[in-house]
Amino acid sequence: MNDIENIYSKLWQLYGPQGWWPAPDYHPGDYNFPGTENQKFEICVGAILTQNTSWKNVEKAILNLKKYDLLAPEMLLTIEHKHLAQVIKSAGYFNQKARKLAVFSEYFLFLNGKSANRQELLQLWGVGPETADSILLYAFSQPTFVVDSYTKRLLTHLGLIKGAERYDHIKALFESCLPKDVILYQEYHALIVAHAKLHYSKKPYALNCLINKNWNTKRTD
DNA sequence: AACCAGGACGTGA
DNA sequence: TCACGTCATGGT
């Protein structure tokens, strides 16, 4: 078992299945989600809104979009910028994110039911590597690994990377060590977030990180 | 009262 | 490429 598989095994033992994506109307463990275009779009919107923002603030914005029947690409392209910005205010960066949602909505309509493409996503204003991979993995069920700041922080503390590596390098590290499996990738990223929220959000990091503590010692249980 | 949250973009060097 | 500055609300 390689290091990346070893970390996954420990995270799974500690936290069990996470069942992402955590959409407001999503029942954890339902791996058939998203089953509809609306649900896919909702995940994409969430992926954009959660950029450098807590999910709690994003959830308020999504519920607000639903409240006014705006959670559809046609609606987000019709609505006035200032109005949209106000509706998603709780998610922060509302001017930028309103624009990002409009740009993405156009792309989503262009797809017309087809699956999204990583190169195309990265060309959209407002979609960087993490957002693109989140959209591909959780909305379109493509086996692409999501790397976020928590992931970098965890691997850095475990000594697997120095910390300055590029996004695609870290993504490739995970994908080269794991079988190409959508649910595995979905659960792994979710587990990292769950673990990092507990042990890698406030400094000093990793005080009670069991993975870190047991990293160089062998377990018999 | 600073600090952080599941980033991405623009700019000057 | 690299290193910052900017965007902004809400919880601790």
Side-chain angles (χ1 to χ4, degrees), chain A residues 3-14:
Chain A
D3 289 341
I4 296 297
E5 289 177 319
N6 191 17
I7 294 170
Y8 181 77
S9 169
K10 288 183 160 64
L11 287 172
W12 181 270
Q13 287 175 25
L14 286 170

Side-chain angles (χ1 to χ4, degrees), chain A residues 65-131:
Chain A
L65 285 168
K66 285 187 175 177
K67 177 180 170 185
Y68 296 107
D69 283 318
L70 293 173
L71 197 46
E74 299 87 351
M75 300 307 291
L76 295 188
L77 283 172
T78 304
I79 187 176
E80 200 80 25
H81 169 88
K82 293 188 75 172
H83 185 196
L84 177 55
Q86 191 189 4
V87 172
I88 64 171
K89 184 163 78 90
S90 68
Y93 311 114
F94 45 77
N95 280 314
Q96 290 191 344
K97 285 176 178 174
R99 182 178 162 203
K100 291 177 183 183
L101 289 181
V103 169
F104 180 80
S105 292
E106 201 163 338
Y107 177 66
F108 192 87
L109 288 179
F110 158 78
L111 287 176
N112 193 26
K114 295 192 303 260
S115 187
N117 168 280
R118 193 167 196 269
Q119 326 290 347
E120 292 173 354
L121 283 170
L122 290 175
Q123 284 172 5
L124 303 178
W125 186 88
V127 177
E130 185 191 339
T131 305

Side-chain angles (χ1 to χ4, degrees), chain A residues 88-198:
Chain A
I88 64 171
K89 184 163 78 90
S90 68
Y93 311 114
F94 45 77
N95 280 314
Q96 290 191 344
K97 285 176 178 174
R99 182 178 162 203
K100 291 177 183 183
L101 289 181
V103 169
F104 180 80
S105 292
E106 201 163 338
Y107 177 66
F108 192 87
L109 288 179
F110 158 78
L111 287 176
N112 193 26
K114 295 192 303 260
S115 187
N117 168 280
R118 193 167 196 269
Q119 326 290 347
E120 292 173 354
L121 283 170
L122 290 175
Q123 284 172 5
L124 303 178
W125 186 88
V127 177
E130 185 191 339
T131 305
D133 287 330
S134 291
I135 287 171
L136 291 169
L137 180 61
Y138 292 104
F140 293 96
S141 299
Q142 291 188 30
T144 181
F145 203 88
V146 176
V147 177
D148 66 346
S149 55
Y150 284 148
T151 309
K152 288 184 198 168
R153 203 173 290 169
L154 178 63
L155 289 199
T156 302
H157 272 262
L158 295 178
L160 295 183
I161 59 175
K162 292 181 181 178
E165 287 83 356
R166 303 177 165 290
Y167 183 97
D168 288 327
H169 175 85
I170 302 173
K171 168 182 160 69
L173 171 61
F174 278 92
E175 295 183 354
S176 68
C177 291
L178 298 169
K180 216 173 183 59
D181 185 283
V182 171
I183 292 179
L184 171 63
Y185 287 8
Q186 289 180 341
E187 285 293 331
Y188 204 154
H189 174 64
L191 283 165
I192 288 174
V193 173
H195 181 69
K197 276 180 176 171
L198 293 176

